[in-house]
Amino acid sequence: MPCPVTQPGEEIIVCARPTDQRIAPLPAPTRPPRGDPLSFRLPGGGRGNVHAIWTELPGASGQGAAVTLKIPFGKGKRD
């Protein structure tokens, strides 16, 4: 049964959909599992990593990405 139409000045009637027509709730957001960061090689023997980060501050939280670079200085190869 549809909701009744109200005229200006009348009470507002709030109607709900039948349960078989309700929109399903959104799934809870999931955080990706912690694992090895994405790594890559740099020219000259360096390495880089990309990390997903989650930061929480008082009153706010956010997510982002960080890049870490390891670049050898000087002569010779290091492990």
Side-chain angles (χ1 to χ4, degrees), residues 28-36 51-54 63-64:
T30 58
R31 291 187 184 174
R34 296 188 70 176
D36 293 333
H51 306 273
I53 58 171
W54 180 267
Q63 58 189 3

Side-chain angles (χ1 to χ4, degrees), residues 3 14-26:
C3 291
V14 178
C15 298
R17 295 181 181 170
T19 55
D20 62 336
Q21 294 182 358
R22 288 186 179 240
I23 298 173
L26 295 174

Side-chain angles (χ1 to χ4, degrees), residues 4-76:
V5 178
T6 60
Q7 300 299 322
E10 293 182 347
E11 291 184 9
I12 297 173
I13 300 173
V14 178
C15 298
R17 295 181 181 170
T19 55
D20 62 336
Q21 294 182 358
R22 288 186 179 240
I23 298 173
L26 295 174
T30 58
R31 291 187 184 174
R34 296 188 70 176
D36 293 333
L38 174 67
S39 62
F40 54 93
R41 301 182 115 189
L42 295 171
R47 296 194 57 78
N49 293 323
V50 179
H51 306 273
I53 58 171
W54 180 267
T55 305
E56 293 187 35
L57 298 171
S61 62
Q63 58 189 3
V67 178
T68 304
L69 301 175
K70 292 183 180 180
I71 303 171
F73 291 103
K75 296 182 180 184

